[in-house]
Amino acid sequence: MKNENGFILTGTELAREKSFHSVWKLDREPLMCEASVPGIFAAGDVRFSALTGISSAVAEGAMAIRFTRKYLQEI
Ligand SMILES: Cc1cc2nc3c(=O)[nH]c(=O)nc-3n(C[C@H](O)[C@H](O)[C@H](O)COP(=O)(O)OP(=O)(O)OC[C@H]3O[C@@H](n4cnc5c(N)ncnc54)[C@H](O)[C@@H]3O)c2cc1C
């Protein structure tokens, strides 16, 4: 799910969206960087509320990998 400016909503920002419950069908909240499709993560400039910059994009990428592993362990 994207916002009106085309940025991908993830994690808590996604959960705050009015239409969240119509797209998210799991019992848990989305993980950090997790998009509206469970197990799909977004990092860097494409993500809503990301701090722009190379170091932030790299850090978010590392975080997204961590949460991808958590997701894979739980399915
Ligand atoms: C002119 C300029 C100068 C900047 N200078 C600095 C700086 O000095 N220091 C700093 O920290 N930050 C700087 N930034 C910001 C920094 O470049 C970005 O914040 C950072 O690159 C974001 O990384 P990203 O991986 O999220 O996105 P990107 O680096 O934009 O990577 C996205 C990649 O996805 C590819 N892509 C896009 N669409 C698709 C598709 N449909 N399929 C497959 N691939 C696709 C693109 O080709 C690109 O390679 C600058 C930005 C600009 C525009």
Side-chain angles (χ1 to χ4, degrees):
M1 179 189 291
K2 292 189 273 185
N3 72 4
E4 63 281 5
N5 295 317
F7 291 97
I8 298 174
L9 295 166
T10 59
T12 50
E13 283 87 13
L14 172 63
R16 279 194 215 116
E17 199 55 27
K18 266 184 278 176
S19 54
F20 172 65
H21 291 291
S22 64
V23 294
W24 186 263
K25 302 298 177 195
L26 302 184
D27 289 338
R28 63 166 178 81
E29 296 285 288
L31 298 169
M32 198 178 284
C33 293
E34 191 172 24
S36 56
V37 178
I40 302 293
F41 294 80
D45 285 2
V46 75
R47 196 179 72 80
F48 174 67
S49 92
L51 295 171
T52 53
I54 294 166
S55 51
S56 304
V58 170
E60 285 193 2
M63 234 163 36
I65 289 169
R66 179 166 172 239
F67 284 106
T68 301
R69 291 178 71 160
K70 181 175 163 63
Y71 172 81
L72 291 173
Q73 282 163 359
E74 289 173 4
I75 56 169

